[in-house]
Amino acid sequence: MLLRYFYDDKLAHASYLVGCQATGDAMVIDPGRNIEQYIAAAEKEGLRISAITETHIHADFVSGTLELAHRTGATAYLSDEGDENWKYQFADRIKSVLVKDGDEWKVGNLRIQVMHTPGHTPEHISLLLTDTAAAAEPMGIFTGDFVFVGDVGRPDLLEEAAGIAGTAEPGARQLYRSLQRFAQLPDYLQVWPAHGAGSACGKALGAVPSSTVGYEKRFGWAFQVEDEEEFVGMVLADQPEAPRYFAMMKKLNKEGPPLLNGCPLPPRLTGHKLVELVKQEAIIVDTRESAAFATGYLPGSWNIPLTSSFVTYAGWLLDYETPFYLIVDEANLLTAVRMLYSIGLDNVAGYATPEALEFWTRETGQELCIMPHVTPQQVKEGVLKGEIQVVDVRGATEFKEGHLPNAVNIPLGYVLERLNELPVHQPIVVNCQTGVRSAIAASLLRGVGMDKVLNLRGGFVEWATEGLPIERENGHG
Amino acid sequence: MLLRYFYDDKLAHASYLVGCQATGDAMVIDPGRNIEQYIAAAEKEGLRISAITETHIHADFVSGTLELAHRTGATAYLSDEGDENWKYQFADRIKSVLVKDGDEWKVGNLRIQVMHTPGHTPEHISLLLTDTAAAAEPMGIFTGDFVFVGDVGRPDLLEEAAGIAGTAEPGARQLYRSLQRFAQLPDYLQVWPAHGAGSACGKALGAVPSSTVGYEKRFGWAFQVEDEEEFVGMVLADQPEAPRYFAMMKKLNKEGPPLLNGCPLPPRLTGHKLVELVKQEAIIVDTRESAAFATGYLPGSWNIPLTSSFVTYAGWLLDYETPFYLIVDEANLLTAVRMLYSIGLDNVAGYATPEALEFWTRETGQELCIMPHVTPQQVKEGVLKGEIQVVDVRGATEFKEGHLPNAVNIPLGYVLERLNELPVHQPIVVNCQTGVRSAIAASLLRGVGMDKVLNLRGGFVEWATEGLPIERENGHG
Amino acid sequence: MLLRYFYDDKLAHASYLVGCQATGDAMVIDPGRNIEQYIAAAEKEGLRISAITETHIHADFVSGTLELAHRTGATAYLSDEGDENWKYQFADRIKSVLVKDGDEWKVGNLRIQVMHTPGHTPEHISLLLTDTAAAAEPMGIFTGDFVFVGDVGRPDLLEEAAGIAGTAEPGARQLYRSLQRFAQLPDYLQVWPAHGAGSACGKALGAVPSSTVGYEKRFGWAFQVEDEEEFVGMVLADQPEAPRYFAMMKKLNKEGPPLLNGCPLPPRLTGHKLVELVKQEAIIVDTRESAAFATGYLPGSWNIPLTSSFVTYAGWLLDYETPFYLIVDEANLLTAVRMLYSIGLDNVAGYATPEALEFWTRETGQELCIMPHVTPQQVKEGVLKGEIQVVDVRGATEFKEGHLPNAVNIPLGYVLERLNELPVHQPIVVNCQTGVRSAIAASLLRGVGMDKVLNLRGGFVEWATEGLPIERENGHG
Amino acid sequence: MLLRYFYDDKLAHASYLVGCQATGDAMVIDPGRNIEQYIAAAEKEGLRISAITETHIHADFVSGTLELAHRTGATAYLSDEGDENWKYQFADRIKSVLVKDGDEWKVGNLRIQVMHTPGHTPEHISLLLTDTAAAAEPMGIFTGDFVFVGDVGRPDLLEEAAGIAGTAEPGARQLYRSLQRFAQLPDYLQVWPAHGAGSACGKALGAVPSSTVGYEKRFGWAFQVEDEEEFVGMVLADQPEAPRYFAMMKKLNKEGPPLLNGCPLPPRLTGHKLVELVKQEAIIVDTRESAAFATGYLPGSWNIPLTSSFVTYAGWLLDYETPFYLIVDEANLLTAVRMLYSIGLDNVAGYATPEALEFWTRETGQELCIMPHVTPQQVKEGVLKGEIQVVDVRGATEFKEGHLPNAVNIPLGYVLERLNELPVHQPIVVNCQTGVRSAIAASLLRGVGMDKVLNLRGGFVEWATEGLPIERENGHG
């Protein structure tokens, strides 16, 4: 048996290829949209991808199952659990088998057994893997978004992101029961989840790639809760905001996402064209790091740096229907484009390099915009006197644990739709934890013309480090 | 003034960007289809491409004029010389100015003057460039396919490639008169042509990027011929075969080629899919070097190595309507695809890496094919006795200067359409000059099922070096 | 806690970085010589490498412990078990702590506990890892070359490779007892070994990166053997030959290997210089794949393709004192050089690209050499009649399971020192399993002037597939 | 004949390879230290570098002649003109021929004729190139630093940079006579110089790669001056400051520079080590662009961005004896290192990536430094009132043509040695033309503890554009 681990750190997404060297067959579990990587890996090992499966209809990235099945001719094994809202609509477009709890199939000498583990979603399955050539019992279980390392999948995502009201609590109860069942598995089984630290699909995921049933039972928080009611309360509390694009992903992954069929690279824009786009108020995403953006950017452009959070914020902020343009280094173009494609943002209409920005001044005679970064000391007086409005763009949970005095909390993803909550004539300081998210938010606010917006350098951490006053949910700090 | 030289050694094609730093304007002369390079260069110099021009309707590559005009909004200056068969049909789709002999325009402080120089084609113009800020007279002349370094553009290409009968001789006479006029220019002018050594647009192009009017007048062969009749005879003699794709290029470049709008990368095929394509007799182009191809290739696949001649042979052999597939290393994919696009072969339906070939044996139980390379000593007896049919795939001119005994001459580009001239049951040895073209030809012949085909290692050169008998046009050597 | 897995597939070597995000401390376990990767990973996570450890004195690659300690100032935790032959001699050149069974230390909130697990080597330790912030008990154990996935470390390597007589059996007994102790650990612990499939440090390593104590106890072969004597017999049987460079590695890793201090890239040789080196009979290693090598190589050059086995064969065949030269593509140079450095072959005196080979003919007038690949059908008669000497260069175990009639077995690593066993005037066919190792061996034999050597295409596998006669250890097949 | 042009835009340095395809011989003219490029180009064309020459002892980069001769065994043709101070001391370490005016040699069918053209330096020669197979007369002339496109080599460099007093005027007179002689050459000859726009070896070099004798005679400024005295005055006027490293280059290139023998890549530093180096006040060169540097840099570090001027400023500012460290992206490391090596700055002791800067705060608890960029409006009052000291770091010529009121002129290269001219307690604004050089200067001043230093964004250009008052040499603007 062979097992290969694929990790997309932009999505905190883990996928797997398992293969039987004896027969040359391989299966991919929970593929992402960049399917070339699985094809390349299988080829390198001399394996043929003859099966694909996924644990559930993903909400946080475009599934590669449909395209990989098209490209390889492999059979897709898809969950047939859950009610009619949870049926794969693309199943008949490829070779596919619908599976339920207890079903099993073989890939070469490997046996895969289905275990229905609802909670995160109703149709969610986990997959026990046995190397029948070497062992009578399974070696591990692919748990998808059911059990993570040190955490469990959140049952409220549907309600949060997909707007399916009233599903969070029943989901939490289902999850509780699924965990009870999981706890019956042998201690020594490896646990191979679909996400690592940083995913919005859970709240406390560890930065260790895999775990074991026994370790999770002993030390995973969810297994320490004895009472269902208590569990329901805990699992629903303090979950991070669900990115808005999750709803679109659910829909695409259920209906079947568009086939990429290779990788189109967008056209390069001239500086002149870029200037025209600014004048037309096109959506321009500047992927430079915030420090570079701050010292000179195009009016109206948004700063979403090409860090590991690029995908998340792009998914929050960009509209799936409207073409947009990138400011990106030539060397990072392919990476940026693949990231965007990974969540279905296929509408990249062109790109320009940072050098092209110089044409703004050349052609309009106007300077590039500057984004002032202010220090805690520079704004403390105004903040304490209430002369400056503080907008904290962290998540609600982070906010509750401590924030600047008189701050209002608008998580980054909601900034554009809650503009009306902000003062028009007052200076605004935007802060987050360390200054990264606030830089994005500040660029959004300035992009809609709020030119008194400042970014707090170092964020809440630096404010606190300097011993300045803090408020907490239930009183002053 | 700034002048940048771009050279595509696959096409032996030279293009230029000239700019006026004082005003920030720039012009591209004779752009190829990979327009990103001009945009990047202009941007680096802080210049805006505001003008584009080309010397004539090119036959050997897809012109970038239309797409570059679209992308930049620049004005295209296009020849209005020649009769109605030679009018740019896409001129009204962009900002354009039609120009005739004696016309001139400015790009910043640069003056461009049009000189009608027919011969290679009827509408061909050359462009005198003056840096008005520094000099009263021109610095040089962009000669397109009119005057090369040590050679002149061939006037027979239309008849040869585009099948326009009866144009070669009149073209030659026009060329003669254009040269007379060129010879009146000052000696010190630089000559900046559109092609370097290896182009099929001339027969003796030097491997020096530029020349001067005075040097060409003194040492260029065409200027040494005093008599028009003699010139016509000489310029039409012994021209290399015109690649078949030239006709398509002419048509595309007159009507306006499709816009690429970025660069689509084709999908990666699995080994399994590749096997299926072989069975369906799809067109598979294996870009490995001949030595590697020879030791194991897919039945029916063609070997067109990714050398500097890749474009030429792909253009000769591939059909513009039929999708085809590549065998190519991941690292070379972008290069290969860009080369194909440069001559309008946009129909790349997928690619696989050489590693995928192993799946042929794995899935069919059959070995990969082997292409025997034989040495002169191994075949000399059979060749001399006439038991082996020798097929020489070099050009007619090369063949005339010396070839193996009893050889038949079928230039590489015609091999597939002259199959009927070849014996069915006899062993065939294919040769060229050094073994490169014959490797391609041998793969084509084996691809259509002629399995007694052998490739002569080292080609005619090695045969001759070993002192074996040679025939020449007018008798034995 | 954070755990990162590093896998060098050329060495089948796994190393790990664990970190405590709370304090910013990190530790590397069993580092290889390419230490830049650990520094980069730590930096990306915002961690400082403050500790390094290794499970034992490695024999199959240059340890990175000394250089990493130098570069980072981290403390190295080194085994103080084993007798005086097994003491780290470089311990006092860096900050270091010598540790014994039962010792423990902290890296941030992580606790590491030492378990002495001799057998593979006397000083071998394993390391239990506990995330004290999250759990009271360990999460897993770094087992080095003690327990692999599905296998155990071989106790005979010292005797085999380092020539320390009489250590194999006592080692096997120690190993047996270490396993008994290991079996007392909780089932749910993860097992993180230092090697994956393909390492010569074991014989049946699985291609799955990690396992658990419980799974290994249930399904690992070594744990199924009840009796010590039986175990000793089994673990010593049929181990693959130990590469010769292992002895040098042991020595370097005990004394402290030379510091690389960056990565020197060797100079590029001209074709002319290369020709001179051939004439001087310098060691030239041609890294092209065998198919390309076979169609034209420099006299005397060795073919060691840049596959995942490159390091192993380079280590077997190259002398640590003599400078050598590479034939390698520009694009692969850095990879090749890093591979060689990883086993201490620092003596790369220059490289040339495959294109430079053409200069051989140009400057000497002689053809490049050709390596005939023959098929089973072409040689079967000669082989069966004994007119052709078959040399099987596979390992002894592979040979025993079936080989060509009348074949002699000389594993690849021993070919050059057992030349006297080969006939001088008889044609020789070299075979291995699939044709890869035999291609190397054939190049070595031809390199010493044996010009009747042929390589059997497809190797034993193809011979057998075609139904030709096979011999086995105990009689004819 | 074949001619290849190599251009190093960091050094504005042009070198050439000419080859005779008939014999396979090639010659390199004025090679730089990165000799791999010539070897690769020759190999690609199937040529052997059998000759090397240089026009003079270069002052602005490390010559590659010695190393290329070592690597290839080629013969170096070196000037034997000039007095004993101008003799190549390494000539006897390689195969070499000393040549004088009128000497000639062959490279295959190419003839090279020596023309002594002193002025820039006493031993300077130019080289006429004739393709004897095609022409009876030369095609062009390699003019080194004698005649450029639109300019001539400066005769004062020795006095300026190498401190050889009293050489500028005699050099100017020699140059005048050399130009007279040059003007006798035929108009149609091409002129191939060793520098393009931006080189400090002349003052008005054009951005066109080559010219002709006739064009220079008609439009080059130097040829329009009829009178020797006038010429001397003009050629010595307003030359840019000569970078300090030129003296070292002269010395190295006369004595023979150290052989690189490949390309050593420096070791990667951890964030922790970097912090230690800061504390030890090591020289740290931060290669990020100024905008990024300004928002957070290590105390004492210098900002020399990796632009095309990197080499010039590094050569001005770094000491040849003291090891230094780089902050550079992994992707740019090789480029940066090669640039430094190209002027002999071999002392790169290590590098860290920008990510490592975060460790400063982590380990010391202190913020990174910030470099305020101020706008003209922000400082105009202080400047006009004389409360802010303006330091203009442009060259003297630029300064004379217009500068801020009350500014003092200290060209960038002299900033560190003229610190005593600056006020201690007053705020200082540093400006240059556009803000690039002033950013470097500001980092140097802050590096020595002057923490009231500000950088004027947009420099003199922006100040002037906003209509603020300007002073000129001879009075207020």
Side-chain angles (χ1 to χ4, degrees), chain C residues 36 43 71 268 353 362, chain D residues 36 43 46 71 268 353:
Chain C
E36 323 291 325
E43 192 171 292
R71 192 80 65 82
R268 181 171 183 147
T353 65
R362 226 168 264 157
Chain D
E36 323 290 327
E43 193 171 292
R71 192 81 65 81
R268 181 173 182 145
T353 65

Side-chain angles (χ1 to χ4, degrees), chain B residues 32-347:
Chain B
R33 200 182 196 191
N34 176 13
I35 61 168
E36 325 289 326
Q37 63 185 325
Y38 310 112
I39 293 172
E43 192 172 292
K44 192 183 162 197
E45 304 291 346
L47 299 171
R48 173 184 161 188
I49 297 172
S50 53
I52 308 165
T53 190
E54 57 182 47
T55 52
H56 64 296
I57 299 174
H58 297 284
D60 51 332
F61 59 87
V62 174
S63 164
T65 294
L66 177 62
E67 183 143 16
L68 189 56
H70 258 286
R71 192 81 64 83
T72 62
T75 302
Y77 295 86
L78 301 169
S79 174
D80 198 25
E81 298 285 355
D83 66 26
E84 71 282 1
N85 292 316
W86 297 94
K87 299 301 177 192
Y88 285 93
Q89 297 174 12
F90 65 81
D92 54 357
R93 292 169 54 195
I94 50 177
K95 228 184 295 171
S96 67
V97 175
L98 298 177
V99 295
K100 281 180 176 289
D101 187 74
D103 286 351
E104 61 179 65
W105 70 90
K106 296 283 285 280
V107 175
N109 294 323
L110 310 180
R111 180 168 54 233
I112 296 93
Q113 291 166 290
V114 176
M115 185 168 161
H116 184 211
T117 50
H120 178 68
T121 59
E123 88 293 2
H124 195 292
I125 54 176
S126 295
L127 302 151
L128 286 152
L129 174 70
T130 305
D131 178 6
T132 64
E137 300 293 332
M139 188 181 214
I141 181 164
F142 296 101
T143 53
D145 289 13
F146 167 40
V147 175
F148 298 125
V149 180
D151 201 356
V152 294
R154 56 193 290 193
D156 64 318
L157 212 48
L158 301 175
E159 192 156 339
E160 267 279 329
I164 310 179
T167 56
E169 195 192 309
R173 293 187 188 282
Q174 278 190 309
L175 181 58
Y176 184 75
R177 286 187 294 276
S178 294
L179 290 171
Q180 302 290 99
R181 205 174 153 211
F182 174 88
Q184 307 307 314
L185 294 171
D187 272 7
Y188 65 80
L189 284 192
Q190 291 188 62
V191 172
W192 298 305
H195 283 296
S199 167
C201 292
K203 60 185 170 190
L205 282 69
V208 175
S210 60
S211 187
T212 64
V213 169
Y215 190 82
E216 289 305 312
K217 275 162 63 180
R218 274 164 190 73
F219 305 111
W221 74 263
F223 292 90
Q224 313 315 311
V225 188
E226 303 252 327
D227 177 69
E228 181 170 327
E229 296 312 314
E230 190 188 352
F231 174 80
V232 169
M234 285 178 73
V235 78
L236 294 179
D238 297 337
Q239 290 283 10
E241 284 71 20
R244 189 178 300 104
Y245 77 98
F246 278 25
M248 173 59 85
M249 289 302 97
K250 263 296 176 231
K251 183 171 139 61
L252 283 180
N253 287 335
K254 190 163 79 171
E255 297 176 354
L259 302 181
L260 265 186
N261 204 23
C263 183
L265 295 179
R268 181 173 183 145
L269 307 170
T270 62
H272 177 66
K273 175 75 180 167
L274 191 61
V275 169
E276 280 180 7
L277 287 167
V278 172
K279 291 178 180 167
Q280 294 159 13
E281 303 192 354
I283 303 292
I284 296 172
V285 176
D286 192 324
T287 66
R288 291 176 297 162
E289 51 183 48
S290 297
F293 179 85
T295 61
Y297 65 91
L298 292 170
S301 66
W302 296 354
N303 181 215
I304 313 184
L306 203 59
T307 63
S308 61
S309 302
F310 176 69
V311 166
T312 306
Y313 300 134
W316 264 113
L317 299 166
L318 293 170
D319 174 352
Y320 273 78
E321 304 305 318
T322 315
F324 58 94
Y325 302 85
L326 298 178
I327 307 293
V328 64
D329 274 329
E330 193 75 37
N332 292 323
L333 175 63
L334 188 57
T335 305
V337 162
R338 279 203 184 276
M339 282 194 210
L340 292 163
Y341 293 165
S342 76
I343 58 165
L345 284 166
D346 300 357
N347 232 336

Side-chain angles (χ1 to χ4, degrees), chain C residues 221-280:
Chain C
W221 72 264
F223 293 90
Q224 314 315 311
V225 189
E226 303 252 326
D227 177 68
E228 179 170 329
E229 296 312 313
E230 190 188 352
F231 174 80
V232 169
M234 285 178 74
V235 78
L236 294 178
D238 297 337
Q239 290 284 10
E241 284 71 21
R244 191 180 301 104
Y245 76 98
F246 278 24
M248 172 60 83
M249 288 302 96
K250 264 294 177 233
K251 183 172 139 61
L252 282 181
N253 286 335
K254 190 162 79 170
E255 297 175 354
L259 301 181
L260 265 187
N261 202 24
C263 182
L265 295 179
R268 181 171 183 147
L269 306 170
T270 62
H272 177 64
K273 175 75 181 169
L274 191 61
V275 170
E276 280 180 9
L277 288 168
V278 172
K279 291 178 180 168
Q280 294 160 12

Side-chain angles (χ1 to χ4, degrees), chain A residues 36 43 46 71 268 353, chain B residues 36 43 71 263 268 353 362:
Chain A
E36 323 289 327
E43 194 172 292
R71 192 81 65 80
R268 181 174 183 144
T353 65
Chain B
E36 325 289 326
E43 192 172 292
R71 192 81 64 83
C263 183
R268 181 173 183 145
T353 65
R362 224 167 265 157

Side-chain angles (χ1 to χ4, degrees), chain C residues 206-449:
Chain C
V208 175
S210 60
S211 186
T212 64
V213 169
Y215 191 81
E216 289 305 313
K217 275 162 62 179
R218 272 164 192 73
F219 304 110
W221 72 264
F223 293 90
Q224 314 315 311
V225 189
E226 303 252 326
D227 177 68
E228 179 170 329
E229 296 312 313
E230 190 188 352
F231 174 80
V232 169
M234 285 178 74
V235 78
L236 294 178
D238 297 337
Q239 290 284 10
E241 284 71 21
R244 191 180 301 104
Y245 76 98
F246 278 24
M248 172 60 83
M249 288 302 96
K250 264 294 177 233
K251 183 172 139 61
L252 282 181
N253 286 335
K254 190 162 79 170
E255 297 175 354
L259 301 181
L260 265 187
N261 202 24
C263 182
L265 295 179
R268 181 171 183 147
L269 306 170
T270 62
H272 177 64
K273 175 75 181 169
L274 191 61
V275 170
E276 280 180 9
L277 288 168
V278 172
K279 291 178 180 168
Q280 294 160 12
E281 303 192 353
I283 302 294
I284 296 171
V285 176
D286 192 324
T287 66
R288 290 177 296 162
E289 53 182 45
S290 296
F293 179 87
T295 62
Y297 64 91
L298 292 170
S301 66
W302 296 355
N303 182 215
I304 313 184
L306 203 59
T307 63
S308 62
S309 302
F310 177 68
V311 165
T312 306
Y313 299 134
W316 263 112
L317 299 166
L318 292 169
D319 174 352
Y320 273 78
E321 304 304 320
T322 313
F324 58 93
Y325 302 85
L326 298 179
I327 306 294
V328 64
D329 275 329
E330 193 74 36
N332 292 324
L333 175 64
L334 188 58
T335 305
V337 163
R338 279 203 185 276
M339 282 193 209
L340 292 164
Y341 293 166
S342 77
I343 57 163
L345 284 166
D346 300 357
N347 232 335
V348 194
Y351 77 98
T353 65
E355 285 72 32
L357 268 63
E358 292 174 18
F359 284 78
W360 176 254
T361 305
R362 226 168 264 157
E363 303 223 347
T364 68
Q366 297 166 33
E367 283 299 299
L368 290 168
C369 304
I370 290 163
M371 165 76 70
H373 284 53
V374 291
T375 62
Q377 296 301 335
Q378 287 174 308
V379 292
K380 78 174 168 189
E381 207 168 339
V383 167
L384 296 176
K385 288 186 182 163
E387 292 164 0
I388 295 176
Q389 173 64 57
V390 177
V391 180
D392 188 320
V393 298
R394 295 177 297 165
T397 307
E398 292 169 292
F399 184 79
K400 276 194 289 184
E401 289 170 2
H403 53 79
L404 273 66
N406 308 311
V408 55
N409 178 224
I410 309 182
L412 173 53
Y414 301 104
V415 160
L416 285 181
E417 64 200 46
R418 289 171 59 183
L419 287 175
N420 62 328
E421 300 177 27
L422 300 178
V424 178
H425 299 299
Q426 212 177 340
I428 293 176
V429 161
V430 190
N431 86 280
C432 62
Q433 192 74 358
T434 61
V436 176
R437 281 170 289 178
S438 62
I440 300 176
S443 79
L444 297 176
L445 293 172
R446 289 195 157 238
V448 296

Side-chain angles (χ1 to χ4, degrees), chain B residues 419-443:
Chain B
L419 286 174
N420 62 329
E421 299 177 27
L422 299 178
V424 178
H425 298 301
Q426 212 177 340
I428 292 176
V429 161
V430 190
N431 86 281
C432 62
Q433 193 73 359
T434 61
V436 176
R437 282 171 288 179
S438 62
I440 301 177
S443 80

Side-chain angles (χ1 to χ4, degrees), chain D residues 113-151:
Chain D
Q113 290 165 292
V114 177
M115 184 168 162
H116 185 211
T117 50
H120 178 68
T121 58
E123 86 294 2
H124 194 293
I125 55 177
S126 294
L127 303 152
L128 286 153
L129 175 70
T130 305
D131 178 5
T132 65
E137 300 293 331
M139 186 180 214
I141 180 165
F142 296 101
T143 52
D145 289 13
F146 166 42
V147 174
F148 299 124
V149 179
D151 201 356

